Amino acid sequence: MRAKKGNVLNVGLPKGSLQEATLHLFRKAGFNINVGSRSYVPTIDDPELSGLLIRAQEMARYVQDGILDMGLTGRDWVLEQNAKVKEVCPLLYARGGLRPVRWVVAVPNDSPIQRIRDLQGKRVATELVQFTRRYLKKRGVEAQVEFSWGATEVKAPRLADAIVELTETGSSLRANNLRVVETILESTTVLIANREAWKEPWKREKIGNIALLLQGALRAEETVGLKMNVGRGDLDRILKVLPAMQNPTISTLSEAGWFSLEVIVDQKIVRDLIPVLKKEGASGIVEYPLNKVIP
């Protein structure tokens, strides 16, 4: 659907830990976004997009209220604010890589707290206050849940009996002599839309197109393309060792009895795969990066 003259989609981009990963993802998706060192209003090379840098913790509220038509934030912050928004799609990336993050209950290594029910009557420090309160209430646990302004890992045991903290690898918790009692939420980045904006045909199509391109760019982060030449006598053996998202593309070369193969494979297996392909008779092997993979 063509946009009417002057149609603009207001887009919220997360400021802070997710910012660079998000801008990188948009670049791979085909959108160049420039952010000044002190600016909260990025420039986007698409006249139909108007961007604003917002902390991920606040994003869902502004999208819910219609100040932003769409935004990228963590599902954890959508749940924390109990925001009424349309979740368009998950985008599996975080500040540390392409993986979900976890909110965990953690306590000092020598703490007697072993289970969630042991938090009864205890003091808990966290940024995720409302979700934590609801989580404990559902389990019949009454605890004093306090907002933490940062450096949450250092608050137990002197300032709190336990903490609820975000972790990707657990290394920061271990460095502060903390152990995990339970994971209470697993979260990833999500693309969310204002519910009224989602009802408008042009905005819905524009948001959907952005989601398609971002998801394609994410798939490309973990995959590469491989091209190679294969003789007729080696073709069957090569096809047996060649994993692909779909059947490989096979083209006939001008030289009789030779074929060109092209596939998309998981980047993690390429270093082991290429020597095998060479051993089985493939030649002229070329590995190339991808920007987007759209199934």
Side-chain angles (χ1 to χ4, degrees), residues 45-57:
D45 67 343
D46 182 338
E48 295 176 354
L49 299 181
S50 176
L52 194 64
L53 285 173
I54 300 288
R55 285 180 60 83
Q57 293 92 325

Side-chain angles (χ1 to χ4, degrees), residues 146-207:
E146 300 178 341
F147 180 76
S148 173
W149 291 95
T152 307
E153 296 99 330
V154 303
K155 294 188 174 178
R158 296 184 65 182
L159 301 178
D161 300 293
I163 66 170
V164 173
E165 180 64 333
L166 186 68
T167 183
E168 291 187 48
T169 64
S171 59
S172 180
L173 296 176
R174 290 189 294 271
N176 285 279
N177 297 312
L178 298 173
R179 58 177 168 82
V180 173
V181 174
E182 184 172 314
T183 297
I184 68 169
L185 176 63
E186 190 172 273
S187 178
T188 187
T189 307
V190 290
L191 192 157
I192 57 175
N194 173 265
R195 289 182 173 180
E196 293 304 313
W198 188 249
K199 295 176 183 178
E200 296 183 33
W202 178 80
K203 288 186 176 181
R204 181 169 182 159
E205 183 176 24
K206 186 72 174 178
I207 294 169

